[in-house]
Amino acid sequence: GLAELKFEGDVADLRDRREFTMSVKSSGLDAAQLLELLTDKGLLKMPEEQPSFAVESGTLGIEAKAAGLASDPSGIIVSGRLSMDKITVSSEQMPKFTADGSIDFSDSKVSSKDLAIATEKSKASLVFGMDIDKAEKKPGYVSFDIQAKIDLAEVSAFAPSEEPSEMEGTLKALLKGGGQPVTLRNLFPSKDGGRTPAKISRAWKDIELAVTIDLEAVRLPGKEGPGSISSLKTTALIEGGSVKKIVASFDMDGRPWKASGEMKDVMPALAELMLISEKGDMPGTFGPVLDGLVNSPDMTINVAGRAVDVAVFQEASEKEKLKADKSSGGGGAPMETKAANPLVENSVTLLMLKKTF
């Protein structure tokens, strides 16, 4: 009762070549029941590191065709389409979303031109293609074209943080590019290991990537106090591993400020800092880390704005020190206070110290 399948086909020359064509079609497959069946039968196994999720509703449809010679299975050509209709997915790690669209497949390519994902307040569309090496039966060049509009408050509510990371605003992004699978794998460190600064550098040179980002944030995460930033508007253009242009306006302590600049080769540098951080060896000083970077960025940022009252920073620092002394009985910062890892928490600011000329 899970699915109704319709088969059609014909066979010719039964003695020798056994030439055949066959098609199968089904629609209205209950996605939740199908996923449960495949999992129970051991036909589908989710990676342990995969975030837990549940398919709540929606239907699938499939159309597939096969043609060739039964006497020569290697020459059989397969093609078809998988359709999704209002597939609703929930998870504790992300907002509930609905997926619609179709994926075309054959023995030489997998592609889609109409995939759409939407949450209550955000949405994205995806066009992608992946070539398949017919001889090696392995993935080849991957291309993608993504358009997204993200509600920051909706997404920040699921941020993995000990303290709530509340934001308000909208992020619009356009991403277009492509690369070989090995290139995409080596852009950033991953738990399967094998990444090196040289591989990261090569990947960012080989990737085809063009990104436009428009960000409007009324409220940003962080404690209210001296130097707090609000009403941020930013436009950034990214090509390959470089931020070619960034323009921003914001209020700091209620005063208007502007910033502009570029960050050449900043993406591979950030990826290398992530690689260093994952090794778990926190250096006593970051000078040697910056000096030893294989991927060296060149960043120029121009900032202009109204006067800053630096006295409030000193007052805030003294208040924090007094609070720490009281909570630790006069011994400084409490033992349970965990220092942030600058390699991860403040990596862009850290890289600004590595200005190259």
Side-chain angles (χ1 to χ4, degrees), residues 9 32 37 40 58 80 99 102-103 110 116 160 175 179 184 188 207 216 225 233-234 239 242 291-293 296 308 323:
L37 176 64
D40 291 344
S102 60
I103 299 174
V110 178
L175 299 87
L184 301 178
F188 293 100
I207 187 71
E216 291 190 17
K233 293 183 178 181
T234 302
E239 292 183 12
S242 299
D291 289 340
L293 286 178
S296 184
V308 178
K323 181 179 178 181

Side-chain angles (χ1 to χ4, degrees), residues 336-351:
E336 64 270 15
T337 299
K338 183 179 180 181
N341 180 353
L343 294 180
V344 178
E345 303 294 337
N346 246 333
S347 50
V348 174
T349 303
L350 185 63
L351 285 175

Side-chain angles (χ1 to χ4, degrees), residues 211-226:
V211 182
T212 301
I213 296 175
D214 288 299
L215 171 66
E216 291 190 17
V218 178
R219 181 179 180 184
L220 294 168
K223 297 180 180 180
E224 295 290 338

Side-chain angles (χ1 to χ4, degrees), residues 269-283 285-287 289-290 293 340-351:
L270 289 173
E272 186 174 344
L273 285 182
M274 292 171 60
L275 183 66
I276 295 171
S277 177
E278 287 188 355
K279 293 180 180 179
D281 299 326
M282 284 291 292
T285 176
F286 295 106
V289 174
L290 297 176
L293 286 178
N341 180 353
L343 294 180
V344 178
E345 303 294 337
N346 246 333
S347 50
V348 174
T349 303
L350 185 63
L351 285 175

Side-chain angles (χ1 to χ4, degrees), residues 122-267:
S122 305
K123 60 181 179 180
S125 62
L126 169 64
V127 175
F128 78 90
M130 181 179 70
D131 296 334
I132 297 176
D133 188 321
K134 296 176 67 173
E136 298 291 333
K137 305 296 183 184
K138 293 182 179 180
Y141 187 86
V142 178
S143 62
F144 53 86
D145 188 339
I146 304 171
Q147 298 184 34
K149 181 179 180 182
I150 299 172
D151 183 89
L152 299 179
E154 183 181 50
V155 175
S156 64
F158 291 84
S161 175
E162 296 180 0
E163 297 183 3
S165 180
E166 298 181 358
M167 298 181 69
E168 293 181 14
T170 303
L171 171 66
K172 296 179 182 178
L174 303 175
L175 299 87
K176 188 172 184 178
Q180 294 292 337
V182 64
T183 297
L184 301 178
R185 285 196 302 269
N186 287 333
L187 292 175
F188 293 100
S190 64
K191 293 185 178 180
D192 61 3
R195 311 299 187 271
T196 65
K199 287 183 178 180
I200 290 173
S201 179
R202 181 75 264 168
W204 281 103
K205 284 183 172 66
D206 292 342
I207 187 71
E208 296 180 51
L209 182 64
V211 182
T212 301
I213 296 175
D214 288 299
L215 171 66
E216 291 190 17
V218 178
R219 181 179 180 184
L220 294 168
K223 297 180 180 180
E224 295 290 338
S228 60
I229 295 176
S230 61
S231 302
L232 173 65
K233 293 183 178 181
T234 302
T235 297
L237 302 177
I238 300 173
E239 292 183 12
S242 299
V243 178
K244 290 292 186 178
K245 180 181 180 181
I246 183 169
V247 177
S249 64
F250 55 91
D251 288 347
M252 183 166 65
D253 294 334
R255 299 182 177 94
W257 285 74
K258 292 182 178 181
S260 62
E262 62 178 348
M263 303 178 182
K264 185 179 179 181
D265 296 326
V266 68
M267 300 305 292

